[in-house]
């Protein structure tokens, strides 16, 4: 069933055509990935799909009743103040109704007004019909997946969040919104690797249709089954996942190139004939061919690598073999209300040698950027030793692009680095990164994030450094620019320390992995793909632990309800009894047997509870052991991880059995109390 149909759509702003002739359809359950260079119209397409913008040409048709929801790059949460309320924004009416029901229930405890009772009944029925008993669980599940504690989120204020955390709150709000078509604009921005994998799983399991703009190639490969590629003033749809799109795109470009070359040969031959015969005996034929040639539709040259930024990274000198040496180094950040800084990484010991490409991974906010600043010399370590070789020339690409002066023009940025260059050389260098003509006189402060990133790379290219420190260099770059960056780093002869959440980039380049976990940096001497394989046991442990926590929560809730039942039965038993009838059968013996049965049942419940507690502790112990990145740094550690994984499975099975025994014991205790 088609939910959205886009037919020959074009958008014009005055005399400028943004794109034209776009045609594709979104069917129920489709997952579309939208890719292309920055500024080609991807976000404008979303405005067309939501109805916020009308096309200049063509039409956008929506299935009647279909709901389209959009996650924008700029998030506005309205008047709410807490994280939980921001994510649950779509359910504000249910939230208000829930508060009203609580107030009505309190009032009914002191009055028996029939009209109030009827209103309470109607509101309660509406609350249940609209999902009042399920929406909170949906919000909690999304918050947990995005790295927020659902309980503390109910009181945590929005104004205390960082920019990255606000981005995750916006994503959570979008995921719980009701709707058939979900539009996501760069959803993996501000997400670390673990949260990105969670989002992948969530999107693959949902039955909603998805249209997403992303520059994360691994994310696209895992999620989408169609691709819409913006290029050359239009957009071309491709069937199949991202990897199939890459192959089809290259084949399409080759076909276009062959057709262009063939037509160019025909035109050259015709023009040669016209020149040789325009004034001779065959002038009539030459004029006819000239007229025919003038009306021939010209094929455009295919857009290929020459249209992408031309980045090439070279070193000025080889440098020494020891790039960075850390000896029990600790780094941290100052805290405004405390005298001591907050330690983020402590007792880091290791060394980085020439030619390595290190992928540095870990949760957002854990201290990766802080360590990079210390290595680049921007800050000093809190303790220990952190030394960069004397012959090492470092170029530092900051995540916030603060290395660029906002008040300088693009031309000045490059001219300051190369004061002896002529104007044509400065403009030529900027042209390699997509800036031409009067654009070179724009101030850095007026540029978009993607444009600033390209200027930063243009400046870094001139450094000829033999050590690159890169903090999230793919942020703001489109897919084609990321591919160009990957190729440049692959050919680079120096050393690279790379913080990135782009798994495709890490898989292609990283020869070593540094893992930040609980203020410790563990060095994994292998590629990122090998690290992903090794960390599967940790993911398995986390899944088991989450499943057991859910099971234990259900058990404890049932235990609470059973305890309440027993207390109610006890209170009824203590109430004044009706006078005994003369024919009552041996009441004293019956009561004694009931008490004995209850004591035995209670004993079995207590034994099973102790067994459950012991096995819960065992599962938690094994999970903690498997969660330690240091375990995966050596072959012996890998073998131990496999053994621990098997032990965890056995403990889980035993815990499942113990929970069943506990359930049977509590049911027996309940029966003996009746």
């Amino acid at each position: 069933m088609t939910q959205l149909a886009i037919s020959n759509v074009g958008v014009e702003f005055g005399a400028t055509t943004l794109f034209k002739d776009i045609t594709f359809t979104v069917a129920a359950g489709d997952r579309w990935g939208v890719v292309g260079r920055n500024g080609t119209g991807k976000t404008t397409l979303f405005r067309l799909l939501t109805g916020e913008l009308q096309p200049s040409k063509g039409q956008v048709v929506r299935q009647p009743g279909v709901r389209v929801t959009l996650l924008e790059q700029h998030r506005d949460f309205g008047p709410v103040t807490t994280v939980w309320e921001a994510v649950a924004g779509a359910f504000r009416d249910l939230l208000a109704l829930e508060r009203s029901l609580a107030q009505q229930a309190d009032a009914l405890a002191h009055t028996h007004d029939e009209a109030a009772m009827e209103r309470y009944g109607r509101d309660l029925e509406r609350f249940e019909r609209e999902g009042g008993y399920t929406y909170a669980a949906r919000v909690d599940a999304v918050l947990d997946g995005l790295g927020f504690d659902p309980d503390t989120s109910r009181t945590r204020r929005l104004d205390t969040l960082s920019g990255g955390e606000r981005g995750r709150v916006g994503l959570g709000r979008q995921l719980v919104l009701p709707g058939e078509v979900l539009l996501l604009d760069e959803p993996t921005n501000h997400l670390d690797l673990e949260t990105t994998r969670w989002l992948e799983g969530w999107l693959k399991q949902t039955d909603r249709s998805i249209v997403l703009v992303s520059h994360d190639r691994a994310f696209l490969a895992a999620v989408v089954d169609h691709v819409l590629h913006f290029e050359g003033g239009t957009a071309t749809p491709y069937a199949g996942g991202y990897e199939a799109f890459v192959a089809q795109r290259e084949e399409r470009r080759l076909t276009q190139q062959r057709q262009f070359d063939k037509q160019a040969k025909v035109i050259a031959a015709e023009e040669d004939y016209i020149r040789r015969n325009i004034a001779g005996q065959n002038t009539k034929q030459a004029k006819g061919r000239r007229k025919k040639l003038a009306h021939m539709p010209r094929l455009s040259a295919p857009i290929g690598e020459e249209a992408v930024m031309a980045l090439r990274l070279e070193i000025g000198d080889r440098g020494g073999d020891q790039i960075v040496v850390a000896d029990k180094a600790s780094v941290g950040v100052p805290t405004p209300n405390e005298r001591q800084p907050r330690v983020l990484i402590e007792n880091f010991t290791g060394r980085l040698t020439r030619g390595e490409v290190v992928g540095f991974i870990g949760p957002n906010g854990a201290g990766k950027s802080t360590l990079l600043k210390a290595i680049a010399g921007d800050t000093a370590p809190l303790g220990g030793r952190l030394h960069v070789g004397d012959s090492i020339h470092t170029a530092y690409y900051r995540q916030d692009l603060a290395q660029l002066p906002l008040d300088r023009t693009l031309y000045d940025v490059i001219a300051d680095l190369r004061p002896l260059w002529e104007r044509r050389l400065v403009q030529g260098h900027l042209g390699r990164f997509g800036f031409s003509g009067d654009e070179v006189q724009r101030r850095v402060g007026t540029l978009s994030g993607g444009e600033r990133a390209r200027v930063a790379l243009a400046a870094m290219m001139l450094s000829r450094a033999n050590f690159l420190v890169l903090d999230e260099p793919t942020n703001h770059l489109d897919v084609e620019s990321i591919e160009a960056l990957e190729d440049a780093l692959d050919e680079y002869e120096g050393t690279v320390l790379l913080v990135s959440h782009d798994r495709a980039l890490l898989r292609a380049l990283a020869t070593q992995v540094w893992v930040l976990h609980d203020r410790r940096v563990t060095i994994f001497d292998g590629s990122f793909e090998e690290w992903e394989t090794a960390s599967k046991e940790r993911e398995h442990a986390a899944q088991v632990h989450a499943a057991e926590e859910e099971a234990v929560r259900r058990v404890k809730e049932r235990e609470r309800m059973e305890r309440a039942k027993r207390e109610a039965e006890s209170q009824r038993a203590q109430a004044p009894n009706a006078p005994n009838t003369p024919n009552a059968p041996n009441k004293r013996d019956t009561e004694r047997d009931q008490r004995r049965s209850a004591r035995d049942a209670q004993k079995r419940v207590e034994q099973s509870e102790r067994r459950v507690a012991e096995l819960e502790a065992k599962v938690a112990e094994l999970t903690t052991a498997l969660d330690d990145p240091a375990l995966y740094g050596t072959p012996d550690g890998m073998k131990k991880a496999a053994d621990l994984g098997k032990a965890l499975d056995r403990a889980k099975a035993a815990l499942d059995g113990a929970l069943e025994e506990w359930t049977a014991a509590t049911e027996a205790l309940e029966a003996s109390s009746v």
Side-chain angles (χ1 to χ4, degrees), residues 304-426:
E305 299 300 324
E306 67 278 1
V308 183
M309 66 173 185
L311 176 64
R312 185 174 180 180
L313 300 169
E314 299 176 334
I315 61 175
D317 54 76
R318 177 181 179 276
D321 291 334
Q322 300 296 325
I323 309 299
V324 178
V325 177
D327 183 17
K328 297 181 179 179
S330 298
V331 298
V333 293
T335 52
N337 299 322
E338 298 179 17
R339 300 179 65 180
Q340 296 295 327
R342 181 161 65 96
V343 177
L344 298 176
I345 299 174
E346 57 186 0
N347 294 326
F348 170 42
T349 297
R351 65 183 63 237
L352 177 57
T353 57
R354 187 175 63 84
E356 291 277 11
V357 178
V358 173
F360 190 12
I361 62 176
N364 288 344
K368 301 186 299 296
S369 295
T370 304
L371 181 61
L372 262 58
K373 288 179 182 178
I375 290 174
D378 283 6
T379 60
L382 300 178
R385 179 170 172 262
L386 195 58
H387 175 69
V388 178
D390 295 334
S391 60
I392 303 306
H393 178 203
T394 304
Y396 179 24
Y397 182 102
R398 293 171 173 81
Q399 183 177 169
D400 59 4
L401 300 173
Q403 66 268 37
L404 297 176
L406 299 181
D407 59 341
R408 303 285 285 173
T409 67
L410 279 64
Y411 183 91
D412 291 338
V413 169
I414 302 304
D416 290 346
L417 296 173
R418 289 292 186 273
L420 299 181
W421 273 12
E422 299 176 359
R423 173 174 288 274
R424 62 180 180 83
L425 294 177
V426 175

Side-chain angles (χ1 to χ4, degrees), residues 86-109:
V87 173
F91 304 103
R92 61 171 61 92
D93 292 340
L94 276 176
L95 280 166
L97 182 57
E98 188 174 21
R99 288 191 290 267
S100 174
L101 285 169
Q103 295 169 356
Q104 292 180 55
D106 288 340
L108 288 172

Side-chain angles (χ1 to χ4, degrees), residues 10-244:
V11 172
E12 299 173 355
F13 297 107
T16 302
T17 299
L18 181 61
F19 55 71
K20 61 182 179 180
D21 300 332
I22 295 179
T23 298
F24 72 103
T25 59
V26 178
D30 280 355
R31 294 182 175 88
W32 281 86
V34 183
V35 300
R37 282 187 281 278
N38 293 333
T40 53
K42 302 186 294 295
T43 301
T44 301
L45 173 68
F46 275 14
R47 295 175 62 198
L48 293 173
L49 297 182
T50 60
E52 178 187 349
L53 179 70
Q54 296 301 315
S56 306
K57 297 179 181 178
Q59 59 180 349
V60 178
V61 179
R62 301 171 194 81
Q63 177 191 358
V66 70
R67 292 171 295 180
V68 180
T69 61
L70 170 63
L71 166 65
E72 299 182 6
Q73 294 181 1
H74 307 287
R75 285 96 182 189
D76 179 15
F77 302 116
V80 300
T81 57
T82 69
V83 171
W84 204 94
E85 289 174 332
V87 173
F91 304 103
R92 61 171 61 92
D93 292 340
L94 276 176
L95 280 166
L97 182 57
E98 188 174 21
R99 288 191 290 267
S100 174
L101 285 169
Q103 295 169 356
Q104 292 180 55
D106 288 340
L108 288 172
H110 303 92
T111 182
H112 298 287
D113 188 322
E114 290 188 6
M117 290 287 290
E118 289 180 4
R119 179 194 171 196
Y120 180 79
R122 289 194 304 270
D123 287 352
L124 190 63
E125 181 184 358
R126 176 190 158 202
F127 184 74
E128 183 175 4
R129 183 178 64 252
E130 295 182 4
Y133 293 112
T134 59
Y135 84 94
R138 290 167 56 189
V139 173
D140 286 350
V142 169
L143 279 167
D144 186 63
L146 292 174
F148 294 100
D149 180 81
D151 294 329
T152 59
S153 293
R154 293 179 181 271
T155 56
R156 188 177 181 187
R157 293 183 58 84
L158 278 172
D159 54 18
T160 65
L161 302 182
S162 66
E165 287 172 326
R166 288 182 67 88
R168 285 188 283 136
V169 169
L171 175 58
R173 181 190 183 100
Q174 182 69 8
L175 296 182
V176 301
L177 277 173
E180 288 73 36
V181 181
L182 182 62
L183 308 182
L184 300 171
D185 195 353
E186 299 291 2
T188 60
N189 279 358
H190 312 297
L191 299 187
D192 54 32
L193 293 175
E194 183 177 349
T195 311
T196 299
R197 283 195 291 264
W198 173 85
L199 180 60
E200 283 178 3
W202 193 96
L203 292 176
K204 286 190 286 189
Q205 291 174 4
T206 185
D207 57 358
R208 299 160 77 177
S209 303
I210 298 166
V211 184
L212 67 92
V213 172
S214 180
H215 62 260
D216 188 327
R217 294 165 294 168
F219 181 73
L220 289 166
V223 174
V224 306
D225 51 25
H226 293 75
V227 173
L228 183 69
H229 184 212
F230 276 79
E231 187 177 57
T234 186
T236 304
Y238 292 84
Y242 182 77
E243 293 176 353

Side-chain angles (χ1 to χ4, degrees), residues 286-553:
K287 290 180 179 179
R289 290 194 180 191
R290 184 170 62 181
K291 186 175 181 180
K292 181 180 178 182
L293 187 62
H295 290 85
M296 178 186 292
R298 296 298 199 270
L299 297 176
S300 299
I303 300 174
E305 299 300 324
E306 67 278 1
V308 183
M309 66 173 185
L311 176 64
R312 185 174 180 180
L313 300 169
E314 299 176 334
I315 61 175
D317 54 76
R318 177 181 179 276
D321 291 334
Q322 300 296 325
I323 309 299
V324 178
V325 177
D327 183 17
K328 297 181 179 179
S330 298
V331 298
V333 293
T335 52
N337 299 322
E338 298 179 17
R339 300 179 65 180
Q340 296 295 327
R342 181 161 65 96
V343 177
L344 298 176
I345 299 174
E346 57 186 0
N347 294 326
F348 170 42
T349 297
R351 65 183 63 237
L352 177 57
T353 57
R354 187 175 63 84
E356 291 277 11
V357 178
V358 173
F360 190 12
I361 62 176
N364 288 344
K368 301 186 299 296
S369 295
T370 304
L371 181 61
L372 262 58
K373 288 179 182 178
I375 290 174
D378 283 6
T379 60
L382 300 178
R385 179 170 172 262
L386 195 58
H387 175 69
V388 178
D390 295 334
S391 60
I392 303 306
H393 178 203
T394 304
Y396 179 24
Y397 182 102
R398 293 171 173 81
Q399 183 177 169
D400 59 4
L401 300 173
Q403 66 268 37
L404 297 176
L406 299 181
D407 59 341
R408 303 285 285 173
T409 67
L410 279 64
Y411 183 91
D412 291 338
V413 169
I414 302 304
D416 290 346
L417 296 173
R418 289 292 186 273
L420 299 181
W421 273 12
E422 299 176 359
R423 173 174 288 274
R424 62 180 180 83
L425 294 177
V426 175
Q427 291 184 316
H429 184 71
L430 285 167
R432 293 164 61 93
F433 291 84
F435 301 103
S436 59
D438 293 339
E439 284 185 312
V440 303
Q441 297 301 326
R442 293 175 61 188
R443 295 191 181 277
V444 172
T446 68
L447 302 179
S448 67
E451 290 170 329
R452 290 190 196 184
R454 284 187 277 128
V455 174
L457 291 172
M460 189 176 70
M461 178 173 165
L462 299 178
S463 69
R464 297 177 62 82
N466 51 27
F467 178 35
L468 303 181
V469 178
L470 307 177
D471 193 356
E472 297 289 4
T474 62
N475 280 0
H476 310 297
L477 292 181
D478 51 53
V479 169
E480 286 86 348
S481 297
I482 293 173
E483 291 172 344
L485 173 63
E486 180 182 307
D487 291 341
L489 290 174
D490 188 44
E491 297 172 1
Y492 178 61
E493 296 180 353
T495 306
V496 180
L497 177 56
L498 169 67
V499 170
S500 180
H501 65 270
D502 190 316
R503 287 163 293 167
L505 188 70
L506 291 168
R507 288 167 186 165
L509 299 174
T511 58
Q512 188 181 96
V513 181
W514 290 3
V515 185
L516 177 55
H517 177 77
D518 286 342
R519 302 201 296 186
R520 289 190 301 155
V521 177
T522 301
I523 297 177
F524 180 79
D525 194 14
S527 68
F528 182 74
E529 283 188 295
E530 291 172 323
W531 160 251
E532 287 185 303
T533 301
S535 63
K536 285 182 179 178
E537 285 294 346
R538 295 177 61 221
E539 294 177 5
H540 172 64
Q543 292 168 0
V544 169
H545 187 58
E548 292 310 320
E549 281 189 339
E550 177 62 26
V552 170
R553 277 197 299 269

Side-chain angles (χ1 to χ4, degrees), residues 644-655:
L644 287 172
K646 294 175 182 177
L648 179 63
D649 288 336
R650 291 194 296 269
K652 177 183 177 297
L655 180 56

